[in-house]
Amino acid sequence: QVQLTESGGGSVQVGGSLTLSCAATGSTVCMAWFRRVSGKEREAVAAIGTASGRPWYADSVQGRANISQDAAKRIVYLRMGSLQPEDTAMYYCAASATAGCALASDIRQGIGYNYWGQGIQVAVSS
């Protein structure tokens, strides 16, 4: 069983940036960030293969998000800049112990992500 603990959320002004962190208690193959706005479907934001370090980004954050990891500490970071009100959401860290990050379709649908964090709120205001 892998437990995920998110940190780093909060309130940010439009145009600002923040970094979310997710610490895992065990080995994973792929880790990702998702977000959900109340009343809307969950959206995959970014993912990273823990062995390869290869990232994936949703079109909505491409160019203004960076996902990275400290593999030794099993921590994944998501830094997002140029934040806009539409980035306001509950952000969830997720991990897969079996499936990789090879297929964007799997990432978008959250397929294979066995473990989920509790979620952390990000609010972007003007």
Coordinates of all heavy atoms in Angstrom, one line a residue, residues 1-98:
Q1 N 0.9 -1.2 0.0 CA 0.0 0.0 0.0 C 0.9 1.2 0.0 O 1.8 1.3 0.8 CB -0.9 0.0 1.2 CG -2.0 1.0 1.2 CD -3.2 0.6 0.4 OE1 -3.2 -0.5 -0.2 NE2 -4.1 1.5 0.2
V2 N 0.6 2.2 -0.9 CA 1.3 3.4 -1.0 C 0.4 4.6 -0.5 O -0.7 4.7 -0.9 CB 1.8 3.7 -2.4 CG1 2.5 5.0 -2.5 CG2 2.7 2.6 -2.9
Q3 N 0.9 5.3 0.4 CA 0.2 6.5 0.8 C 0.8 7.8 0.2 O 2.1 7.9 0.1 CB 0.2 6.6 2.4 CG -0.6 5.5 3.0 CD -0.7 5.7 4.5 OE1 0.2 6.3 5.1 NE2 -1.7 5.1 5.1
L4 N 0.0 8.7 -0.2 CA 0.4 9.9 -0.8 C 0.0 11.1 0.0 O -1.2 11.2 0.5 CB -0.2 10.0 -2.2 CG 0.1 8.9 -3.1 CD1 -0.7 9.1 -4.4 CD2 1.5 8.7 -3.4
T5 N 0.9 12.0 0.3 CA 0.6 13.2 1.0 C 1.0 14.4 0.2 O 2.1 14.6 -0.2 CB 1.4 13.2 2.3 OG1 1.1 12.0 3.1 CG2 1.1 14.4 3.2
E6 N -0.1 15.3 0.0 CA 0.1 16.5 -0.8 C 0.4 17.7 0.1 O -0.1 17.7 1.2 CB -1.1 16.8 -1.7 CG -1.5 15.7 -2.6 CD -2.8 15.0 -2.3 OE1 -3.2 15.0 -1.1 OE2 -3.5 14.6 -3.2
S7 N 1.1 18.6 -0.4 CA 1.3 19.9 0.3 C 1.6 21.0 -0.7 O 1.9 20.7 -1.9 CB 2.5 19.8 1.3 OG 3.7 19.5 0.6
G8 N 1.4 22.2 -0.2 CA 1.8 23.4 -1.1 C 0.7 24.1 -1.7 O 0.9 25.1 -2.4
G9 N -0.6 23.7 -1.5 CA -1.7 24.5 -2.0 C -1.9 25.8 -1.3 O -1.2 26.1 -0.4
G10 N -3.0 26.4 -1.7 CA -3.3 27.7 -1.0 C -3.9 28.7 -2.0 O -4.3 28.3 -3.1
S11 N -3.9 29.9 -1.6 CA -4.4 31.0 -2.5 C -3.3 31.7 -3.2 O -2.3 32.0 -2.6 CB -5.2 32.0 -1.6 OG -6.3 31.4 -1.0
V12 N -3.5 32.0 -4.4 CA -2.5 32.7 -5.3 C -3.2 33.7 -6.1 O -4.4 33.5 -6.5 CB -1.8 31.7 -6.2 CG1 -0.6 32.3 -6.9 CG2 -1.3 30.5 -5.4
Q13 N -2.5 34.8 -6.4 CA -3.1 35.8 -7.3 C -2.9 35.4 -8.7 O -2.0 34.7 -9.1 CB -2.5 37.2 -7.0 CG -2.9 37.7 -5.6 CD -2.6 39.2 -5.5 OE1 -1.5 39.6 -6.0 NE2 -3.4 40.0 -4.8
V14 N -3.8 36.0 -9.5 CA -3.6 35.7 -11.0 C -2.3 36.1 -11.5 O -1.7 37.2 -11.1 CB -4.7 36.6 -11.7 CG1 -4.4 36.5 -13.2 CG2 -6.1 36.0 -11.5
G15 N -1.7 35.2 -12.3 CA -0.4 35.5 -12.8 C 0.7 34.9 -11.9 O 1.9 34.9 -12.3
G16 N 0.4 34.5 -10.7 CA 1.4 34.0 -9.8 C 1.7 32.6 -10.0 O 1.3 31.9 -11.0
S17 N 2.5 32.0 -9.2 CA 2.9 30.6 -9.3 C 2.9 29.9 -8.0 O 2.8 30.5 -6.9 CB 4.3 30.5 -9.9 OG 5.2 31.1 -9.0
L18 N 2.9 28.6 -8.0 CA 3.0 27.8 -6.8 C 3.5 26.4 -7.1 O 3.6 26.0 -8.3 CB 1.6 27.7 -6.1 CG 0.4 27.0 -6.8 CD1 0.6 25.5 -7.0 CD2 -0.8 27.3 -6.0
T19 N 4.0 25.8 -6.1 CA 4.5 24.4 -6.3 C 3.8 23.5 -5.3 O 3.7 23.7 -4.1 CB 6.0 24.4 -6.0 OG1 6.7 25.3 -6.9 CG2 6.6 23.0 -6.1
L20 N 3.3 22.4 -5.9 CA 2.6 21.4 -5.1 C 3.6 20.2 -4.9 O 4.4 20.0 -5.9 CB 1.4 20.9 -5.8 CG 0.3 21.9 -6.1 CD1 -0.9 21.2 -6.9 CD2 -0.2 22.6 -4.9
S21 N 3.6 19.6 -3.8 CA 4.5 18.5 -3.5 C 3.6 17.3 -3.2 O 2.6 17.4 -2.6 CB 5.4 18.8 -2.4 OG 6.2 19.9 -2.7
C22 N 4.1 16.1 -3.5 CA 3.5 14.9 -3.2 C 4.5 13.8 -2.8 O 5.4 13.5 -3.6 CB 2.7 14.3 -4.4 SG 1.9 12.7 -4.1
A23 N 4.4 13.4 -1.5 CA 5.3 12.4 -1.0 C 4.7 11.1 -1.0 O 3.6 10.9 -0.4 CB 5.8 12.9 0.4
A24 N 5.4 10.1 -1.5 CA 4.9 8.7 -1.5 C 5.6 7.9 -0.5 O 6.8 8.0 -0.3 CB 5.1 8.1 -2.9
T25 N 4.9 6.9 0.1 CA 5.5 6.1 1.1 C 6.1 4.8 0.5 O 6.8 4.0 1.3 CB 4.5 5.7 2.2 OG1 3.4 5.0 1.6 CG2 4.0 6.9 2.9
G26 N 5.9 4.6 -0.8 CA 6.4 3.3 -1.4 C 6.8 3.5 -2.8 O 6.7 4.6 -3.3
S27 N 7.2 2.5 -3.4 CA 7.7 2.5 -4.8 C 6.5 2.7 -5.8 O 5.5 2.0 -5.6 CB 8.4 1.3 -5.1 OG 8.9 1.3 -6.4
T28 N 6.7 3.5 -6.8 CA 5.7 3.7 -7.8 C 6.3 3.6 -9.2 O 7.5 3.8 -9.3 CB 4.9 5.0 -7.6 OG1 5.9 6.1 -7.8 CG2 4.3 5.1 -6.2
V29 N 5.5 3.5 -10.2 CA 5.9 3.5 -11.6 C 5.6 4.8 -12.2 O 6.4 5.3 -13.0 CB 5.3 2.3 -12.3 CG1 5.7 2.4 -13.8 CG2 5.7 1.0 -11.7
C30 N 4.5 5.4 -11.9 CA 4.1 6.6 -12.5 C 3.3 7.4 -11.5 O 2.5 6.9 -10.7 CB 3.2 6.3 -13.7 SG 2.6 7.8 -14.6
M31 N 3.6 8.7 -11.4 CA 2.9 9.6 -10.5 C 2.4 10.8 -11.3 O 3.0 11.2 -12.3 CB 3.8 10.1 -9.4 CG 4.2 9.0 -8.5 SD 5.2 9.5 -7.0 CE 4.0 10.4 -6.1
A32 N 1.2 11.2 -10.9 CA 0.5 12.3 -11.6 C -0.3 13.2 -10.7 O -0.5 12.9 -9.6 CB -0.5 11.6 -12.6
W33 N -0.6 14.3 -11.3 CA -1.5 15.3 -10.7 C -2.8 15.4 -11.5 O -2.7 15.5 -12.7 CB -0.8 16.6 -10.6 CG 0.3 16.7 -9.5 CD1 1.6 16.5 -9.7 CD2 0.1 17.0 -8.1 NE1 2.3 16.6 -8.5 CE2 1.4 16.9 -7.5 CE3 -1.0 17.2 -7.3 CZ2 1.6 17.1 -6.2 CZ3 -0.8 17.5 -6.0 CH2 0.5 17.4 -5.4
F34 N -3.9 15.4 -10.8 CA -5.2 15.6 -11.4 C -5.8 16.8 -10.6 O -5.4 17.1 -9.5 CB -6.1 14.3 -11.2 CG -5.6 13.1 -11.9 CD1 -4.5 12.4 -11.5 CD2 -6.2 12.8 -13.1 CE1 -4.1 11.3 -12.2 CE2 -5.8 11.7 -13.9 CZ -4.7 10.9 -13.4
R35 N -6.8 17.3 -11.2 CA -7.6 18.4 -10.6 C -9.0 18.2 -10.9 O -9.4 17.7 -11.9 CB -7.1 19.7 -10.9 CG -7.3 20.1 -12.4 CD -6.6 21.5 -12.7 NE -6.7 21.9 -14.1 CZ -6.1 22.9 -14.6 NH1 -5.3 23.7 -13.8 NH2 -6.4 23.3 -15.8
R36 N -9.8 18.7 -9.9 CA -11.3 18.6 -10.1 C -11.9 19.9 -9.6 O -11.6 20.4 -8.5 CB -11.9 17.5 -9.4 CG -13.4 17.2 -9.7 CD -14.0 16.3 -8.7 NE -13.4 14.9 -8.8 CZ -13.9 14.0 -9.6 NH1 -14.9 14.2 -10.4 NH2 -13.3 12.8 -9.6
V37 N -12.8 20.5 -10.5 CA -13.6 21.6 -10.1 C -15.0 21.0 -9.8 O -15.5 20.2 -10.5 CB -13.6 22.6 -11.2 CG1 -14.6 23.8 -10.8 CG2 -12.2 23.2 -11.5
S38 N -15.6 21.5 -8.8 CA -16.9 21.0 -8.4 C -17.8 21.1 -9.5 O -18.0 22.1 -10.2 CB -17.4 21.9 -7.2 OG -18.7 21.4 -6.8
G39 N -18.5 20.0 -9.8 CA -19.5 19.9 -10.9 C -18.9 19.6 -12.3 O -19.6 19.5 -13.2
K40 N -17.5 19.5 -12.3 CA -16.9 19.2 -13.6 C -16.1 17.8 -13.4 O -15.9 17.3 -12.4 CB -15.9 20.3 -14.0 CG -16.6 21.6 -14.3 CD -15.7 22.6 -14.9 CE -16.4 23.9 -15.2 NZ -15.5 24.9 -15.8
E41 N -15.8 17.3 -14.6 CA -15.0 16.1 -14.6 C -13.6 16.3 -14.1 O -13.0 17.4 -14.3 CB -15.0 15.4 -16.0 CG -16.3 14.9 -16.4 CD -16.2 14.1 -17.7 OE1 -15.1 13.9 -18.2 OE2 -17.3 13.6 -18.2
R42 N -13.0 15.3 -13.5 CA -11.6 15.3 -13.2 C -10.7 15.5 -14.4 O -11.0 14.9 -15.5 CB -11.3 14.0 -12.4 CG -9.9 13.9 -11.9 CD -9.6 12.5 -11.4 NE -9.7 11.5 -12.4 CZ -9.8 10.2 -12.2 NH1 -10.0 9.8 -11.0 NH2 -9.9 9.3 -13.2
E43 N -9.7 16.2 -14.2 CA -8.8 16.5 -15.4 C -7.3 16.1 -15.0 O -6.9 16.5 -13.9 CB -8.8 18.0 -15.7 CG -7.8 18.3 -16.8 CD -7.6 19.9 -17.0 OE1 -8.1 20.6 -16.1 OE2 -7.1 20.3 -18.1
A44 N -6.7 15.3 -15.8 CA -5.3 15.0 -15.6 C -4.5 16.2 -16.0 O -4.7 16.9 -17.0 CB -4.9 13.8 -16.4
V45 N -3.5 16.6 -15.1 CA -2.8 17.8 -15.3 C -1.3 17.5 -15.8 O -0.9 18.1 -16.8 CB -2.7 18.7 -14.0 CG1 -1.8 19.9 -14.2 CG2 -4.1 19.0 -13.6
A46 N -0.7 16.6 -15.1 CA 0.7 16.3 -15.5 C 1.0 14.9 -14.9 O 0.4 14.5 -13.9 CB 1.7 17.3 -15.0
A47 N 2.0 14.3 -15.5 CA 2.4 13.0 -15.0 C 3.9 12.8 -15.2 O 4.5 13.5 -16.1 CB 1.7 11.8 -15.6
I48 N 4.5 11.9 -14.5 CA 5.9 11.6 -14.6 C 6.2 10.2 -14.4 O 5.7 9.6 -13.4 CB 6.8 12.6 -13.7 CG1 8.3 12.4 -14.0 CG2 6.5 12.3 -12.3 CD1 9.1 13.5 -13.4
G49 N 7.0 9.6 -15.2 CA 7.5 8.2 -15.0 C 8.6 8.3 -14.0 O 9.6 9.0 -14.1
T50 N 8.5 7.5 -12.9 CA 9.4 7.6 -11.8 C 10.8 7.0 -12.2 O 11.8 7.4 -11.6 CB 8.9 7.0 -10.5 OG1 8.5 5.6 -10.8 CG2 7.7 7.8 -10.0
A51 N 10.8 6.1 -13.1 CA 12.1 5.6 -13.5 C 12.7 6.4 -14.6 O 13.9 6.7 -14.6 CB 11.9 4.1 -14.0
S52 N 11.9 6.8 -15.6 CA 12.4 7.5 -16.7 C 12.5 9.0 -16.5 O 13.4 9.7 -17.1 CB 11.5 7.3 -17.9 OG 10.2 7.9 -17.7
G53 N 11.7 9.5 -15.6 CA 11.6 11.0 -15.4 C 10.9 11.7 -16.5 O 10.9 12.9 -16.6
R54 N 10.3 10.9 -17.5 CA 9.7 11.6 -18.6 C 8.4 12.2 -18.2 O 7.5 11.5 -17.6 CB 9.5 10.5 -19.7 CG 8.9 11.1 -21.0 CD 8.9 10.1 -22.1 NE 8.1 8.9 -21.7 CZ 8.0 7.8 -22.4 NH1 8.8 7.6 -23.5 NH2 7.2 6.8 -22.1
P55 N 8.2 13.4 -18.6 CA 6.9 14.1 -18.2 C 5.8 14.1 -19.2 O 6.1 13.8 -20.4 CB 7.4 15.5 -17.9 CG 8.4 15.7 -19.0 CD 9.1 14.4 -19.2
W56 N 4.6 14.3 -18.8 CA 3.5 14.5 -19.7 C 2.7 15.6 -19.1 O 2.6 15.8 -17.9 CB 2.6 13.2 -19.7 CG 1.3 13.4 -20.5 CD1 1.1 13.2 -21.8 CD2 0.1 13.9 -19.9 NE1 -0.2 13.5 -22.1 CE2 -0.8 13.9 -21.0 CE3 -0.3 14.3 -18.7 CZ2 -2.1 14.4 -20.8 CZ3 -1.7 14.7 -18.5 CH2 -2.5 14.7 -19.6
Y57 N 2.1 16.5 -20.0 CA 1.3 17.6 -19.6 C 0.0 17.7 -20.4 O 0.0 17.4 -21.6 CB 2.1 18.9 -19.8 CG 3.4 19.0 -19.0 CD1 4.6 18.7 -19.6 CD2 3.4 19.3 -17.7 CE1 5.8 18.8 -18.9 CE2 4.6 19.4 -17.0 CZ 5.8 19.1 -17.6 OH 7.0 19.2 -16.9
A58 N -1.0 18.1 -19.7 CA -2.2 18.4 -20.4 C -2.0 19.7 -21.2 O -1.2 20.5 -20.9 CB -3.3 18.6 -19.4
D59 N -2.8 19.8 -22.3 CA -2.7 21.0 -23.1 C -3.0 22.2 -22.3 O -2.4 23.3 -22.6 CB -3.7 20.8 -24.3 CG -3.3 19.8 -25.3 OD1 -2.1 19.3 -25.2 OD2 -4.2 19.4 -26.1
S60 N -3.9 22.1 -21.3 CA -4.3 23.3 -20.6 C -3.2 23.9 -19.7 O -3.3 25.1 -19.3 CB -5.5 22.9 -19.7 OG -5.1 21.9 -18.8
V61 N -2.1 23.1 -19.5 CA -1.0 23.7 -18.6 C 0.3 23.6 -19.4 O 1.3 24.0 -18.8 CB -0.9 22.9 -17.3 CG1 -2.2 23.0 -16.5 CG2 -0.5 21.4 -17.5
Q62 N 0.3 23.1 -20.6 CA 1.5 23.0 -21.4 C 2.2 24.4 -21.5 O 1.6 25.4 -21.8 CB 1.2 22.5 -22.8 CG 2.5 22.2 -23.6 CD 3.2 21.0 -23.2 OE1 2.7 19.9 -22.9 NE2 4.5 21.1 -23.2
G63 N 3.5 24.4 -21.1 CA 4.3 25.6 -21.2 C 4.3 26.4 -20.0 O 5.1 27.3 -19.8
R64 N 3.5 26.1 -19.0 CA 3.5 26.9 -17.8 C 3.5 26.0 -16.5 O 3.3 26.4 -15.4 CB 2.3 27.8 -17.7 CG 0.9 27.2 -17.8 CD -0.2 28.3 -18.0 NE -1.5 27.7 -17.9 CZ -2.2 27.6 -16.8 NH1 -1.7 28.0 -15.6 NH2 -3.4 27.0 -16.8
A65 N 3.7 24.7 -16.8 CA 3.7 23.7 -15.7 C 5.0 22.9 -15.8 O 5.5 22.7 -16.9 CB 2.5 22.8 -15.7
N66 N 5.6 22.5 -14.7 CA 6.7 21.7 -14.7 C 6.6 20.6 -13.6 O 6.4 20.9 -12.5 CB 8.0 22.5 -14.5 CG 9.2 21.6 -14.5 OD1 9.6 21.1 -15.6 ND2 9.9 21.4 -13.4
I67 N 6.6 19.4 -14.0 CA 6.6 18.3 -13.1 C 8.0 17.7 -12.9 O 8.7 17.5 -13.9 CB 5.5 17.2 -13.5 CG1 5.4 16.2 -12.3 CG2 5.9 16.5 -14.8 CD1 4.1 15.3 -12.5
S68 N 8.4 17.5 -11.7 CA 9.7 17.0 -11.4 C 9.7 16.0 -10.2 O 8.6 15.9 -9.6 CB 10.7 18.1 -11.2 OG 10.3 18.9 -10.1
Q69 N 10.8 15.4 -9.9 CA 10.8 14.5 -8.8 C 12.1 14.5 -8.1 O 13.2 14.8 -8.7 CB 10.4 13.1 -9.3 CG 11.4 12.5 -10.2 CD 11.1 11.0 -10.6 OE1 10.3 10.4 -10.0 NE2 11.8 10.5 -11.6
D70 N 12.1 14.1 -6.9 CA 13.3 13.7 -6.1 C 13.1 12.2 -5.9 O 12.4 11.8 -5.0 CB 13.3 14.5 -4.8 CG 14.6 14.2 -4.0 OD1 15.1 13.0 -4.1 OD2 15.0 15.0 -3.2
A71 N 13.7 11.5 -6.8 CA 13.4 10.0 -6.8 C 13.9 9.4 -5.5 O 13.2 8.4 -5.0 CB 14.1 9.4 -8.0
A72 N 14.9 9.8 -4.9 CA 15.4 9.2 -3.7 C 14.5 9.4 -2.5 O 14.3 8.5 -1.7 CB 16.8 9.8 -3.3
K73 N 13.8 10.6 -2.5 CA 12.9 10.9 -1.4 C 11.4 10.5 -1.8 O 10.5 10.6 -1.0 CB 12.9 12.3 -1.1 CG 14.3 12.8 -0.5 CD 14.2 14.3 -0.1 CE 15.6 14.7 0.5 NZ 15.6 16.2 0.8
R74 N 11.2 10.1 -3.1 CA 9.9 9.7 -3.5 C 8.9 10.9 -3.4 O 7.8 10.7 -3.0 CB 9.4 8.5 -2.8 CG 10.1 7.2 -3.1 CD 9.7 6.0 -2.3 NE 10.4 4.8 -2.7 CZ 10.5 3.7 -1.9 NH1 9.9 3.7 -0.8 NH2 11.1 2.7 -2.4
I75 N 9.4 12.0 -3.8 CA 8.6 13.2 -3.8 C 8.5 13.7 -5.3 O 9.5 13.8 -6.0 CB 9.2 14.3 -3.0 CG1 9.3 13.8 -1.5 CG2 8.3 15.6 -3.0 CD1 10.0 14.8 -0.6
V76 N 7.3 14.1 -5.7 CA 7.0 14.6 -7.0 C 6.5 16.1 -6.8 O 5.7 16.3 -5.9 CB 6.0 13.8 -7.7 CG1 5.5 14.6 -9.0 CG2 6.5 12.5 -8.1
Y77 N 7.0 16.9 -7.6 CA 6.6 18.4 -7.5 C 5.9 18.8 -8.8 O 6.2 18.3 -9.9 CB 7.9 19.2 -7.4 CG 8.8 18.8 -6.2 CD1 9.9 18.0 -6.4 CD2 8.5 19.3 -4.9 CE1 10.7 17.7 -5.3 CE2 9.3 19.0 -3.9 CZ 10.4 18.1 -4.1 OH 11.2 17.8 -3.0
L78 N 4.9 19.6 -8.6 CA 4.3 20.3 -9.7 C 4.3 21.8 -9.5 O 3.7 22.3 -8.6 CB 2.8 19.8 -9.8 CG 2.0 20.5 -11.0 CD1 2.6 20.1 -12.3 CD2 0.5 20.2 -10.9
R79 N 5.1 22.4 -10.4 CA 5.2 23.9 -10.3 C 4.3 24.4 -11.5 O 4.5 24.0 -12.6 CB 6.6 24.4 -10.5 CG 6.7 25.9 -10.5 CD 8.1 26.4 -10.4 NE 8.2 27.8 -10.5 CZ 8.0 28.7 -9.6 NH1 7.6 28.2 -8.3 NH2 8.0 30.0 -9.8
M80 N 3.5 25.3 -11.1 CA 2.6 26.0 -12.1 C 2.8 27.5 -12.1 O 2.8 28.0 -11.0 CB 1.2 25.6 -11.9 CG 0.9 24.1 -12.2 SD -0.8 23.6 -12.0 CE -1.6 24.7 -13.2
G81 N 2.9 28.1 -13.2 CA 3.0 29.5 -13.3 C 1.9 30.1 -14.1 O 1.1 29.4 -14.7
S82 N 1.9 31.4 -14.2 CA 0.9 32.2 -15.0 C -0.5 31.7 -14.6 O -1.3 31.4 -15.5 CB 1.1 32.0 -16.5 OG 2.4 32.5 -16.8
L83 N -0.7 31.5 -13.3 CA -2.0 30.9 -12.9 C -3.2 31.8 -13.2 O -3.1 33.1 -13.1 CB -1.9 30.7 -11.4 CG -1.0 29.5 -11.0 CD1 -0.7 29.5 -9.5 CD2 -1.6 28.2 -11.4
Q84 N -4.2 31.2 -13.6 CA -5.5 31.9 -13.9 C -6.6 31.4 -13.1 O -6.5 30.3 -12.5 CB -5.8 31.6 -15.4 CG -4.7 32.1 -16.3 CD -4.5 33.6 -16.2 OE1 -5.5 34.4 -16.2 NE2 -3.2 34.1 -16.2
P85 N -7.7 32.1 -13.0 CA -8.8 31.7 -12.2 C -9.3 30.2 -12.5 O -9.8 29.5 -11.7 CB -9.9 32.7 -12.5 CG -9.1 33.9 -12.8 CD -7.9 33.5 -13.5
E86 N -9.2 29.9 -13.8 CA -9.6 28.5 -14.2 C -8.7 27.4 -13.7 O -9.0 26.2 -13.8 CB -9.7 28.4 -15.7 CG -8.5 28.9 -16.5 CD -8.6 30.3 -16.9 OE1 -9.2 31.2 -16.2 OE2 -8.1 30.7 -18.0
D87 N -7.6 27.8 -13.1 CA -6.7 26.8 -12.4 C -7.2 26.5 -11.0 O -6.7 25.6 -10.4 CB -5.3 27.3 -12.4 CG -4.7 27.4 -13.8 OD1 -4.8 26.4 -14.6 OD2 -4.0 28.4 -14.0
T88 N -8.2 27.2 -10.6 CA -8.7 27.0 -9.2 C -9.4 25.6 -9.2 O -10.3 25.3 -10.1 CB -9.8 28.1 -8.9 OG1 -9.1 29.3 -8.7 CG2 -10.4 27.7 -7.5
A89 N -9.0 24.8 -8.3 CA -9.5 23.4 -8.2 C -8.9 22.7 -7.0 O -8.0 23.2 -6.4 CB -9.1 22.6 -9.5
M90 N -9.5 21.5 -6.8 CA -8.8 20.6 -5.8 C -7.9 19.8 -6.6 O -8.2 19.2 -7.6 CB -9.9 19.7 -5.2 CG -9.3 18.9 -4.1 SD -8.9 19.8 -2.6 CE -10.5 20.0 -1.9
Y91 N -6.6 19.8 -6.2 CA -5.6 19.0 -6.9 C -5.3 17.7 -6.1 O -5.1 17.8 -4.9 CB -4.3 19.9 -7.0 CG -4.4 20.9 -8.1 CD1 -5.2 22.1 -7.9 CD2 -3.7 20.8 -9.3 CE1 -5.4 23.0 -8.9 CE2 -3.9 21.8 -10.3 CZ -4.7 22.9 -10.1 OH -4.8 23.8 -11.0
Y92 N -5.2 16.7 -6.9 CA -5.0 15.4 -6.3 C -3.7 14.7 -6.9 O -3.5 14.8 -8.1 CB -6.1 14.4 -6.6 CG -7.4 14.8 -6.0 CD1 -8.3 15.7 -6.6 CD2 -7.8 14.4 -4.7 CE1 -9.5 16.1 -6.1 CE2 -9.0 14.8 -4.1 CZ -9.8 15.6 -4.8 OH -11.0 16.0 -4.3
C93 N -2.9 14.2 -6.0 CA -1.8 13.4 -6.4 C -2.2 12.0 -6.6 O -3.0 11.5 -5.7 CB -0.6 13.5 -5.4 SG 0.8 12.5 -5.7
A94 N -1.7 11.3 -7.6 CA -2.1 9.9 -7.8 C -0.8 9.1 -8.2 O 0.1 9.7 -8.8 CB -3.2 9.8 -8.9
A95 N -0.9 7.8 -7.9 CA 0.3 7.0 -8.3 C -0.1 5.6 -8.7 O -1.2 5.1 -8.3 CB 1.2 6.9 -7.0
S96 N 0.6 5.1 -9.7 CA 0.4 3.8 -10.1 C 1.7 2.9 -9.8 O 2.8 3.4 -10.0 CB 0.2 3.8 -11.6 OG 0.3 2.4 -12.1
A97 N 1.4 1.8 -9.2 CA 2.5 0.9 -8.8 C 2.7 -0.1 -9.9 O 3.7 -0.9 -9.9 CB 2.2 0.2 -7.5
T98 N 1.9 -0.1 -10.9 CA 2.0 -1.2 -12.0 C 2.1 -0.6 -13.4 O 2.8 -1.1 -14.2 CB 0.8 -2.1 -11.9 OG1 -0.4 -1.4 -12.0 CG2 0.8 -2.9 -10.6

